[in-house]
Amino acid sequence: MKQEDKISFQVREHIIVLCGGILIIGFCLFILVMGLRYPSAGANRLVFALVLAGMLACGVFVCIMYFHRALTVEEMKICYVNIFGRRTSFSLDDIGYCKLGLYGSKREPAIESLVLYNLLGEKLCKLEMNMTGARGFLQYLLDNQVKLQWPGEEKEGVRIMEPMLMEKTVCFEEISKSAEAFYDKLSLIFGDWERQHQRFEAQWEFGFVEYVQGDITPKKDMWQWESTANLQGKEPPEEYICIVEAYLKRKEAWVMDKKGHVVGLVIPYIWQNRSYQVGESRRIRKMDEAYLQERLLEHLKMMTKELPRHSYHTQFLTLAHELKKTAGRSVEIEQK
């Protein structure tokens, strides 16, 4: 494995934690100075001192937590340092499972914390998802097939709408077959929308487009993106991404908003990026189709409400790329 492919990262408290601690200490010092400069004759100085000391201790504690608490990953070796500076070292093989703490509604709960347990069910450490690098660590656990558990998963069937948990690993040869099946499902969704909302007299034109991630830039509208992905070789580009683009049209013209942008949707479907699995450098990930269909239906429902509230015009355009019904290497290329 190349040196740059080795897994090495750290999870630590966000800088906002340090800022909060400094703010508390500064506020305490300000109150102390004002109390000494303008003492109140009727005030209970003991209570004042105890409250101020408690707040000051809290601020110091928060600052210490920022500098001490961290989790470091080096390949399979993991080291956790708690708030008091105590170190706990263990390896990836020592992790039995990870329990996710949730918050929010039962319909769409979000991940609040990660708690690691060893093979005997003993707690190893706890991390909050708002910590810097926590999402990377969750990806590390997922890529290395660590079992995840969360409240209500088995009995109530609670589903976490976290995109990272909806990803599946695929090989490049599987993309074409998956994309063709997904295209058919999308055709049904867009077709139903057109039939149910004939008053708009609009249709959807959609398809797959394969890019190198640098091709997608906010400086250009989506119809202007040019693809530089070359799929003639044995492997896809390192920054390969396949997305579904959908454009709203009236007859042969493209619907544009008042700012001059096309009215359309971008659905990230398949991409290749770094793998956190030990011994693997890159991984091709595919988003779960059922999850994408749910999100698409929600977006179309929202768009149906917004379309009558805004003004639009139509314009004839030529896309800078081709919308395809499939993705990946074609059968003809593979046979050659």
Side-chain angles (χ1 to χ4, degrees):
M1 183 184 294
K2 296 180 182 178
Q3 185 68 28
E4 59 268 22
D5 292 334
K6 289 187 176 181
I7 300 170
S8 178
F9 63 93
Q10 188 178 67
V11 183
R12 61 177 304 150
E13 295 288 354
H14 197 278
I15 187 66
I16 196 171
V17 173
L18 178 61
C19 294
I22 294 175
L23 186 63
I24 294 173
I25 294 174
F27 179 73
C28 291
L29 294 177
F30 173 76
I31 296 298
L32 177 61
V33 171
M34 296 300 292
L36 293 175
R37 191 169 183 179
Y38 306 103
S40 176
N44 190 322
R45 294 188 177 184
L46 179 60
V47 174
F48 174 78
L50 288 175
V51 172
L52 198 62
M55 292 178 61
L56 186 62
C58 180
V60 173
F61 180 79
V62 170
C63 291
I64 292 175
M65 180 173 68
Y66 172 80
F67 288 108
H68 276 183
R69 192 175 181 218
L71 181 140
T72 304
V73 178
E74 295 287 346
E75 290 292 294
M76 295 185 65
K77 297 179 181 179
I78 302 172
C79 179
Y80 175 71
V81 182
N82 68 9
I83 298 172
F84 305 103
R86 180 181 177 184
R87 293 177 176 270
T88 302
S89 298
F90 53 95
S91 73
L92 180 63
D93 292 334
D94 295 326
I95 303 175
Y97 64 96
C98 174
K99 194 168 185 178
L100 306 180
L102 307 180
Y103 72 97
S105 65
K106 288 187 176 181
R107 183 175 178 271
E108 289 193 6
I111 303 174
E112 182 178 35
S113 61
L114 311 173
V115 184
L116 298 184
Y117 295 88
N118 63 17
L119 300 173
L120 299 177
E122 299 170 339
K123 183 177 176 181
L124 291 171
C125 67
K126 179 180 179 180
L127 304 171
E128 282 72 45
M129 282 299 289
N130 58 11
M131 296 176 70
T132 303
R135 296 188 67 81
F137 184 65
L138 177 58
Q139 189 71 71
Y140 173 82
L141 298 176
L142 289 169
D143 285 359
N144 288 284
Q145 292 84 49
V146 174
K147 184 180 180 181
L148 301 182
Q149 298 179 358
W150 56 86
E153 174 193 9
E154 298 181 358
K155 294 183 179 180
E156 303 175 21
V158 174
R159 183 184 179 190
I160 304 176
M161 303 302 283
E162 165 59 51
M164 196 180 299
L165 301 182
M166 305 296 175
E167 297 172 2
K168 298 180 179 178
T169 301
V170 296
C171 63
F172 193 63
E173 287 69 27
E174 296 177 282
I175 294 178
S176 178
K177 185 177 180 180
S178 299
E180 290 173 5
F182 189 44
Y183 185 91
D184 293 338
K185 295 175 183 177
L186 293 177
S187 296
L188 294 175
I189 294 176
F190 285 120
D192 287 343
W193 187 90
E194 293 172 2
R195 286 189 293 272
Q196 294 173 15
H197 304 91
Q198 295 182 13
R199 67 184 186 276
F200 292 139
E201 298 181 349
Q203 308 82 36
W204 287 98
E205 183 169 334
F206 70 97
F208 297 100
V209 188
E210 294 164 297
Y211 295 105
V212 174
Q213 291 190 22
D215 298 336
I216 301 175
T217 169
K219 295 180 180 179
K220 296 181 179 180
D221 203 358
M222 55 188 284
W223 68 274
Q224 299 173 311
W225 294 338
E226 297 180 6
S227 173
T228 60
N230 181 9
L231 304 181
Q232 302 295 325
K234 295 181 179 180
E235 298 294 334
E238 282 195 357
E239 300 300 323
Y240 169 84
I241 181 170
C242 171
I243 65 176
V244 177
E245 293 182 6
Y247 297 87
L248 193 63
K249 299 180 69 175
R250 297 192 68 179
K251 297 182 180 180
E252 296 301 320
W254 309 77
V255 178
M256 314 285 288
D257 62 22
K258 61 182 180 180
K259 294 182 179 180
H261 300 302
V262 293
V263 177
L265 303 170
V266 174
I267 306 173
Y269 180 46
I270 298 174
W271 60 93
Q272 180 173 229
N273 60 9
R274 182 185 180 185
S275 172
Y276 283 96
Q277 180 175 333
V278 178
E280 181 182 64
S281 59
R282 310 289 294 179
R283 176 172 292 195
I284 300 177
R285 310 178 192 273
K286 176 173 73 71
M287 187 61 73
D288 180 68
E289 285 92 346
Y291 172 79
L292 293 179
Q293 290 175 74
E294 289 179 22
R295 290 304 184 190
L296 175 59
L297 288 170
E298 292 175 2
H299 199 93
L300 289 176
K301 185 178 180 180
M302 182 178 62
M303 181 176 285
T304 301
K305 296 180 181 179
E306 291 296 322
L307 284 175
R309 301 176 183 175
H310 304 279
S311 59
Y312 299 91
H313 65 278
T314 57
Q315 185 176 334
F316 290 96
L317 301 173
T318 301
L319 295 183
H321 48 263
E322 180 184 358
L323 300 178
K324 301 178 181 180
K325 294 185 177 181
T326 187
R329 283 197 296 269
S330 64
V331 176
E332 292 78 7
I333 292 176
E334 291 181 353
Q335 288 176 346
K336 291 179 181 180

Short mmCIF file of all heavy atoms in Angstrom, two decimals, residues 217-258:
data_model
loop_
_atom_site.label_atom_id
_atom_site.label_comp_id
_atom_site.label_asym_id
_atom_site.label_seq_id
_atom_site.Cartn_x
_atom_site.Cartn_y
_atom_site.Cartn_z
N THR A 217 -19.07 22.12 -11.26
CA THR A 217 -18.65 23.37 -10.64
C THR A 217 -19.83 24.31 -10.48
O THR A 217 -20.67 24.41 -11.39
CB THR A 217 -17.55 24.07 -11.47
OG1 THR A 217 -17.35 25.39 -10.98
CG2 THR A 217 -17.93 24.14 -12.94
N PRO A 218 -19.94 24.99 -9.35
CA PRO A 218 -21.05 25.94 -9.14
C PRO A 218 -20.96 27.18 -10.02
O PRO A 218 -21.91 27.94 -10.10
CB PRO A 218 -20.92 26.30 -7.65
CG PRO A 218 -19.49 26.04 -7.31
CD PRO A 218 -19.08 24.87 -8.15
N LYS A 219 -19.81 27.38 -10.67
CA LYS A 219 -19.66 28.55 -11.54
C LYS A 219 -20.51 28.44 -12.80
O LYS A 219 -20.80 29.43 -13.45
CB LYS A 219 -18.19 28.72 -11.93
CG LYS A 219 -17.28 29.05 -10.75
CD LYS A 219 -15.83 29.22 -11.20
CE LYS A 219 -14.93 29.54 -10.03
NZ LYS A 219 -13.51 29.70 -10.45
N LYS A 220 -20.90 27.21 -13.14
CA LYS A 220 -21.72 26.98 -14.33
C LYS A 220 -23.04 26.36 -13.92
O LYS A 220 -23.13 25.65 -12.93
CB LYS A 220 -21.00 26.05 -15.31
CG LYS A 220 -19.72 26.62 -15.90
CD LYS A 220 -19.12 25.63 -16.90
CE LYS A 220 -17.85 26.17 -17.53
NZ LYS A 220 -17.26 25.19 -18.49
N ASP A 221 -24.09 26.64 -14.73
CA ASP A 221 -25.36 25.97 -14.52
C ASP A 221 -25.22 24.52 -14.94
O ASP A 221 -24.35 24.16 -15.74
CB ASP A 221 -26.44 26.66 -15.36
CG ASP A 221 -27.83 26.41 -14.79
OD1 ASP A 221 -27.93 25.68 -13.79
OD2 ASP A 221 -28.81 26.94 -15.36
N MET A 222 -26.07 23.65 -14.42
CA MET A 222 -25.89 22.21 -14.61
C MET A 222 -25.91 21.79 -16.08
O MET A 222 -25.24 20.83 -16.45
CB MET A 222 -26.96 21.43 -13.83
CG MET A 222 -28.38 21.83 -14.14
SD MET A 222 -29.60 21.04 -13.03
CE MET A 222 -29.62 19.39 -13.70
N TRP A 223 -26.64 22.50 -16.91
CA TRP A 223 -26.68 22.13 -18.33
C TRP A 223 -25.38 22.46 -19.06
O TRP A 223 -25.13 21.95 -20.15
CB TRP A 223 -27.86 22.83 -19.02
CG TRP A 223 -27.73 24.32 -19.15
CD1 TRP A 223 -28.07 25.26 -18.23
CD2 TRP A 223 -27.21 25.03 -20.27
NE1 TRP A 223 -27.79 26.52 -18.69
CE2 TRP A 223 -27.28 26.41 -19.95
CE3 TRP A 223 -26.71 24.66 -21.51
CZ2 TRP A 223 -26.86 27.40 -20.83
CZ3 TRP A 223 -26.30 25.65 -22.39
CH2 TRP A 223 -26.37 27.00 -22.05
N GLN A 224 -24.52 23.24 -18.42
CA GLN A 224 -23.26 23.65 -19.04
C GLN A 224 -22.08 22.77 -18.63
O GLN A 224 -20.98 22.94 -19.16
CB GLN A 224 -22.94 25.10 -18.67
CG GLN A 224 -23.97 26.11 -19.15
CD GLN A 224 -23.72 27.50 -18.61
OE1 GLN A 224 -23.50 27.69 -17.41
NE2 GLN A 224 -23.73 28.48 -19.50
N TRP A 225 -22.28 21.84 -17.72
CA TRP A 225 -21.18 20.98 -17.28
C TRP A 225 -20.69 20.10 -18.42
O TRP A 225 -21.48 19.49 -19.14
CB TRP A 225 -21.62 20.10 -16.11
CG TRP A 225 -21.92 20.86 -14.87
CD1 TRP A 225 -21.48 22.11 -14.52
CD2 TRP A 225 -22.78 20.44 -13.80
NE1 TRP A 225 -21.98 22.48 -13.30
CE2 TRP A 225 -22.78 21.49 -12.82
CE3 TRP A 225 -23.52 19.29 -13.55
CZ2 TRP A 225 -23.51 21.40 -11.65
CZ3 TRP A 225 -24.24 19.19 -12.37
CH2 TRP A 225 -24.25 20.25 -11.42
N GLU A 226 -19.38 20.01 -18.58
CA GLU A 226 -18.79 19.17 -19.62
C GLU A 226 -18.10 17.97 -18.96
O GLU A 226 -17.34 18.13 -18.01
CB GLU A 226 -17.79 19.97 -20.45
CG GLU A 226 -18.42 21.14 -21.21
CD GLU A 226 -17.39 21.91 -22.03
OE1 GLU A 226 -16.23 21.45 -22.09
OE2 GLU A 226 -17.74 22.96 -22.58
N SER A 227 -18.34 16.81 -19.48
CA SER A 227 -17.79 15.59 -18.90
C SER A 227 -16.41 15.28 -19.49
O SER A 227 -16.23 15.26 -20.70
CB SER A 227 -18.73 14.41 -19.16
OG SER A 227 -18.14 13.20 -18.75
N THR A 228 -15.45 15.03 -18.61
CA THR A 228 -14.11 14.61 -19.03
C THR A 228 -13.82 13.17 -18.61
O THR A 228 -12.68 12.71 -18.68
CB THR A 228 -13.03 15.54 -18.44
OG1 THR A 228 -13.09 15.48 -17.01
CG2 THR A 228 -13.23 16.98 -18.90
N ALA A 229 -14.86 12.45 -18.16
CA ALA A 229 -14.68 11.07 -17.71
C ALA A 229 -14.42 10.17 -18.91
O ALA A 229 -15.22 10.12 -19.85
CB ALA A 229 -15.91 10.58 -16.95
N ASN A 230 -13.32 9.48 -18.90
CA ASN A 230 -12.97 8.54 -19.98
C ASN A 230 -13.13 7.12 -19.45
O ASN A 230 -12.37 6.67 -18.60
CB ASN A 230 -11.53 8.78 -20.43
CG ASN A 230 -11.13 7.84 -21.55
OD1 ASN A 230 -11.96 7.12 -22.11
ND2 ASN A 230 -9.86 7.85 -21.90
N LEU A 231 -14.15 6.42 -19.96
CA LEU A 231 -14.46 5.08 -19.47
C LEU A 231 -13.99 4.00 -20.41
O LEU A 231 -14.44 2.86 -20.36
CB LEU A 231 -15.98 4.96 -19.26
CG LEU A 231 -16.60 6.01 -18.33
CD1 LEU A 231 -18.09 5.77 -18.19
CD2 LEU A 231 -15.93 6.00 -16.98
N GLN A 232 -13.05 4.34 -21.29
CA GLN A 232 -12.53 3.35 -22.23
C GLN A 232 -11.49 2.43 -21.58
O GLN A 232 -11.23 1.34 -22.08
CB GLN A 232 -11.88 4.07 -23.43
CG GLN A 232 -12.82 5.01 -24.17
CD GLN A 232 -13.96 4.27 -24.84
OE1 GLN A 232 -13.79 3.16 -25.31
NE2 GLN A 232 -15.13 4.89 -24.88
N GLY A 233 -10.90 2.87 -20.48
CA GLY A 233 -9.86 2.06 -19.84
C GLY A 233 -10.43 0.95 -18.99
O GLY A 233 -11.64 0.73 -18.92
N LYS A 234 -9.55 0.24 -18.30
CA LYS A 234 -9.97 -0.89 -17.47
C LYS A 234 -10.60 -0.43 -16.16
O LYS A 234 -11.42 -1.12 -15.59
CB LYS A 234 -8.77 -1.79 -17.18
CG LYS A 234 -8.20 -2.47 -18.42
CD LYS A 234 -7.03 -3.37 -18.04
CE LYS A 234 -6.46 -4.06 -19.28
NZ LYS A 234 -5.33 -4.96 -18.94
N GLU A 235 -10.21 0.74 -15.68
CA GLU A 235 -10.72 1.25 -14.41
C GLU A 235 -11.31 2.65 -14.61
O GLU A 235 -10.86 3.41 -15.46
CB GLU A 235 -9.62 1.30 -13.36
CG GLU A 235 -9.02 -0.06 -13.00
CD GLU A 235 -10.02 -0.97 -12.32
OE1 GLU A 235 -10.96 -0.44 -11.68
OE2 GLU A 235 -9.87 -2.21 -12.43
N PRO A 236 -12.32 3.01 -13.82
CA PRO A 236 -12.89 4.36 -13.92
C PRO A 236 -11.92 5.37 -13.34
O PRO A 236 -11.01 5.02 -12.60
CB PRO A 236 -14.16 4.25 -13.06
CG PRO A 236 -13.84 3.18 -12.07
CD PRO A 236 -12.99 2.19 -12.81
N PRO A 237 -12.08 6.66 -13.67
CA PRO A 237 -11.23 7.69 -13.09
C PRO A 237 -11.33 7.68 -11.56
O PRO A 237 -12.36 7.30 -11.00
CB PRO A 237 -11.80 9.00 -13.67
CG PRO A 237 -12.57 8.58 -14.88
CD PRO A 237 -13.07 7.21 -14.61
N GLU A 238 -10.28 8.10 -10.89
CA GLU A 238 -10.27 8.08 -9.42
C GLU A 238 -11.40 8.91 -8.83
O GLU A 238 -11.98 8.55 -7.82
CB GLU A 238 -8.92 8.59 -8.90
CG GLU A 238 -7.80 7.57 -8.99
CD GLU A 238 -6.61 7.96 -8.15
OE1 GLU A 238 -6.63 9.06 -7.54
OE2 GLU A 238 -5.64 7.17 -8.09
N GLU A 239 -11.72 10.04 -9.45
CA GLU A 239 -12.77 10.92 -8.94
C GLU A 239 -14.05 10.74 -9.74
O GLU A 239 -14.81 11.69 -9.96
CB GLU A 239 -12.31 12.37 -8.99
CG GLU A 239 -11.06 12.65 -8.16
CD GLU A 239 -11.26 12.34 -6.69
OE1 GLU A 239 -12.37 12.60 -6.18
OE2 GLU A 239 -10.32 11.82 -6.05
N TYR A 240 -14.33 9.51 -10.15
CA TYR A 240 -15.52 9.19 -10.95
C TYR A 240 -16.80 9.43 -10.16
O TYR A 240 -16.89 9.09 -8.98
CB TYR A 240 -15.45 7.73 -11.39
CG TYR A 240 -16.72 7.19 -12.00
CD1 TYR A 240 -17.01 7.39 -13.35
CD2 TYR A 240 -17.63 6.46 -11.24
CE1 TYR A 240 -18.17 6.88 -13.91
CE2 TYR A 240 -18.79 5.95 -11.79
CZ TYR A 240 -19.06 6.16 -13.13
OH TYR A 240 -20.21 5.65 -13.68
N ILE A 241 -17.79 10.03 -10.81
CA ILE A 241 -19.10 10.19 -10.20
C ILE A 241 -20.16 10.09 -11.30
O ILE A 241 -19.99 10.65 -12.39
CB ILE A 241 -19.22 11.53 -9.43
CG1 ILE A 241 -20.61 11.63 -8.78
CG2 ILE A 241 -18.95 12.72 -10.32
CD1 ILE A 241 -20.74 12.79 -7.82
N CYS A 242 -21.20 9.37 -11.00
CA CYS A 242 -22.32 9.22 -11.92
C CYS A 242 -23.55 9.82 -11.25
O CYS A 242 -23.90 9.44 -10.13
CB CYS A 242 -22.55 7.74 -12.26
SG CYS A 242 -24.07 7.43 -13.19
N ILE A 243 -24.19 10.75 -11.93
CA ILE A 243 -25.38 11.38 -11.37
C ILE A 243 -26.54 11.29 -12.35
O ILE A 243 -26.36 11.06 -13.55
CB ILE A 243 -25.11 12.87 -11.03
CG1 ILE A 243 -24.84 13.68 -12.31
CG2 ILE A 243 -23.97 13.01 -10.05
CD1 ILE A 243 -24.66 15.16 -12.05
N VAL A 244 -27.73 11.44 -11.82
CA VAL A 244 -28.93 11.55 -12.64
C VAL A 244 -29.29 13.02 -12.73
O VAL A 244 -29.40 13.71 -11.71
CB VAL A 244 -30.10 10.76 -12.02
CG1 VAL A 244 -31.37 10.95 -12.87
CG2 VAL A 244 -29.76 9.29 -11.91
N GLU A 245 -29.42 13.49 -13.94
CA GLU A 245 -29.87 14.87 -14.17
C GLU A 245 -31.26 14.83 -14.77
O GLU A 245 -31.53 14.06 -15.69
CB GLU A 245 -28.91 15.61 -15.10
CG GLU A 245 -27.54 15.85 -14.51
CD GLU A 245 -26.63 16.63 -15.44
OE1 GLU A 245 -27.10 17.10 -16.51
OE2 GLU A 245 -25.44 16.77 -15.11
N ALA A 246 -32.15 15.67 -14.25
CA ALA A 246 -33.52 15.75 -14.76
C ALA A 246 -33.86 17.21 -15.03
O ALA A 246 -33.61 18.08 -14.18
CB ALA A 246 -34.50 15.15 -13.76
N TYR A 247 -34.40 17.49 -16.21
CA TYR A 247 -34.73 18.85 -16.63
C TYR A 247 -36.21 18.94 -16.95
O TYR A 247 -36.78 18.06 -17.61
CB TYR A 247 -33.93 19.24 -17.87
CG TYR A 247 -32.43 19.26 -17.66
CD1 TYR A 247 -31.68 18.10 -17.82
CD2 TYR A 247 -31.78 20.44 -17.31
CE1 TYR A 247 -30.30 18.12 -17.63
CE2 TYR A 247 -30.40 20.46 -17.13
CZ TYR A 247 -29.67 19.30 -17.29
OH TYR A 247 -28.31 19.31 -17.11
N LEU A 248 -36.84 20.01 -16.48
CA LEU A 248 -38.25 20.25 -16.78
C LEU A 248 -38.34 21.00 -18.11
O LEU A 248 -37.67 22.02 -18.31
CB LEU A 248 -38.88 21.08 -15.66
CG LEU A 248 -40.41 21.17 -15.67
CD1 LEU A 248 -41.02 19.78 -15.46
CD2 LEU A 248 -40.91 22.12 -14.59
N LYS A 249 -39.21 20.50 -19.01
CA LYS A 249 -39.33 21.09 -20.34
C LYS A 249 -40.81 21.32 -20.68
O LYS A 249 -41.69 20.62 -20.17
CB LYS A 249 -38.71 20.17 -21.40
CG LYS A 249 -37.23 19.92 -21.20
CD LYS A 249 -36.66 19.01 -22.28
CE LYS A 249 -36.62 19.69 -23.63
NZ LYS A 249 -35.96 18.85 -24.65
N ARG A 250 -41.04 22.28 -21.55
CA ARG A 250 -42.35 22.49 -22.15
C ARG A 250 -42.17 22.39 -23.65
O ARG A 250 -41.46 23.20 -24.25
CB ARG A 250 -42.94 23.83 -21.76
CG ARG A 250 -43.21 23.98 -20.26
CD ARG A 250 -44.05 25.19 -19.96
NE ARG A 250 -45.41 25.05 -20.47
CZ ARG A 250 -46.37 25.98 -20.33
NH1 ARG A 250 -46.07 27.12 -19.71
NH2 ARG A 250 -47.57 25.78 -20.81
N LYS A 251 -42.77 21.35 -24.20
CA LYS A 251 -42.55 21.01 -25.61
C LYS A 251 -41.06 20.74 -25.80
O LYS A 251 -40.50 19.87 -25.20
CB LYS A 251 -43.09 22.10 -26.52
CG LYS A 251 -44.61 22.28 -26.40
CD LYS A 251 -45.12 23.33 -27.34
CE LYS A 251 -46.64 23.48 -27.20
NZ LYS A 251 -47.20 24.51 -28.10
N GLU A 252 -40.37 21.52 -26.62
CA GLU A 252 -38.94 21.27 -26.86
C GLU A 252 -38.05 22.29 -26.14
O GLU A 252 -36.83 22.25 -26.28
CB GLU A 252 -38.65 21.33 -28.37
CG GLU A 252 -39.34 20.23 -29.17
CD GLU A 252 -38.93 18.84 -28.70
OE1 GLU A 252 -37.74 18.62 -28.39
OE2 GLU A 252 -39.81 17.97 -28.60
N ALA A 253 -38.66 23.19 -25.40
CA ALA A 253 -37.89 24.26 -24.73
C ALA A 253 -37.68 23.89 -23.26
O ALA A 253 -38.46 23.15 -22.65
CB ALA A 253 -38.61 25.59 -24.85
N TRP A 254 -36.63 24.43 -22.68
CA TRP A 254 -36.26 24.17 -21.30
C TRP A 254 -36.85 25.24 -20.39
O TRP A 254 -36.79 26.44 -20.70
CB TRP A 254 -34.74 24.14 -21.16
CG TRP A 254 -34.08 23.25 -22.17
CD1 TRP A 254 -33.86 23.52 -23.48
CD2 TRP A 254 -33.59 21.92 -21.95
NE1 TRP A 254 -33.27 22.45 -24.10
CE2 TRP A 254 -33.08 21.45 -23.19
CE3 TRP A 254 -33.52 21.09 -20.84
CZ2 TRP A 254 -32.52 20.20 -23.34
CZ3 TRP A 254 -32.95 19.84 -20.98
CH2 TRP A 254 -32.46 19.40 -22.21
N VAL A 255 -37.42 24.83 -19.28
CA VAL A 255 -38.02 25.77 -18.34
C VAL A 255 -36.91 26.43 -17.52
O VAL A 255 -36.05 25.75 -16.95
CB VAL A 255 -39.01 25.06 -17.40
CG1 VAL A 255 -39.59 26.05 -16.39
CG2 VAL A 255 -40.12 24.40 -18.20
N MET A 256 -36.93 27.77 -17.47
CA MET A 256 -35.90 28.55 -16.77
C MET A 256 -36.57 29.40 -15.70
O MET A 256 -37.69 29.89 -15.89
CB MET A 256 -35.16 29.46 -17.76
CG MET A 256 -34.73 28.80 -19.06
SD MET A 256 -33.31 27.71 -18.87
CE MET A 256 -32.00 28.92 -18.59
N ASP A 257 -35.87 29.59 -14.57
CA ASP A 257 -36.43 30.48 -13.55
C ASP A 257 -36.05 31.93 -13.87
O ASP A 257 -35.37 32.21 -14.85
CB ASP A 257 -35.95 30.07 -12.16
CG ASP A 257 -34.43 30.15 -11.99
OD1 ASP A 257 -33.77 30.89 -12.75
OD2 ASP A 257 -33.88 29.47 -11.10
N LYS A 258 -36.48 32.85 -13.01
CA LYS A 258 -36.27 34.28 -13.29
C LYS A 258 -34.81 34.69 -13.21
O LYS A 258 -34.43 35.74 -13.71
CB LYS A 258 -37.11 35.13 -12.35
CG LYS A 258 -36.80 34.94 -10.88
CD LYS A 258 -37.73 35.80 -10.03
CE LYS A 258 -37.44 35.64 -8.54
NZ LYS A 258 -38.35 36.47 -7.72
#
